[in-house]
Amino acid sequence: MGVAVVRNQVKRRLRHLVRDRLTELPPGSLVVVRALPGAGDADHAQLARDLDAALQRLLGGGAR
C-alpha cells in the first residue's frame, strides 16, 4: 500500500475510535490526536488500546 493510503486508513480508524469516546471528554474539550509513524502497522485493537491509554493520561487517570 502507498503512504497516502496507509495514512488515510489510520485517520479513518482513529476518527471512528475517537467518535466512540467523545462522551468521556468534558464538554467544550479540544483534543488533537496525532498518529505516530508506527500507527500504520497497528491493527484496530492496538490503536484502540493506545487511544484509551492516552485519554486516561489526559483525563488524569493514569501514571505519567
Side-chain angles (χ1 to χ4, degrees):
M1 277 190 271
V3 175
V5 172
V6 173
R7 182 177 57 242
N8 287 322
Q9 184 179 42
V10 170
K11 185 179 1 177
R12 285 191 306 271
R13 286 178 177 173
L14 285 172
R15 232 183 241 145
H16 175 76
L17 290 167
V18 169
R19 189 177 304 124
D20 291 343
R21 290 155 176 80
L22 286 176
T23 58
E24 298 174 27
L25 300 172
S29 295
L30 296 175
V31 177
V32 175
V33 177
R34 180 175 170 252
L36 297 176
D41 296 327
D43 63 7
H44 189 80
Q46 183 62 50
L47 285 175
R49 284 191 298 273
D50 291 347
L51 179 61
D52 288 339
L55 286 174
Q56 190 173 14
R57 286 191 307 272
L58 175 70
L59 298 172
R64 294 179 191 237

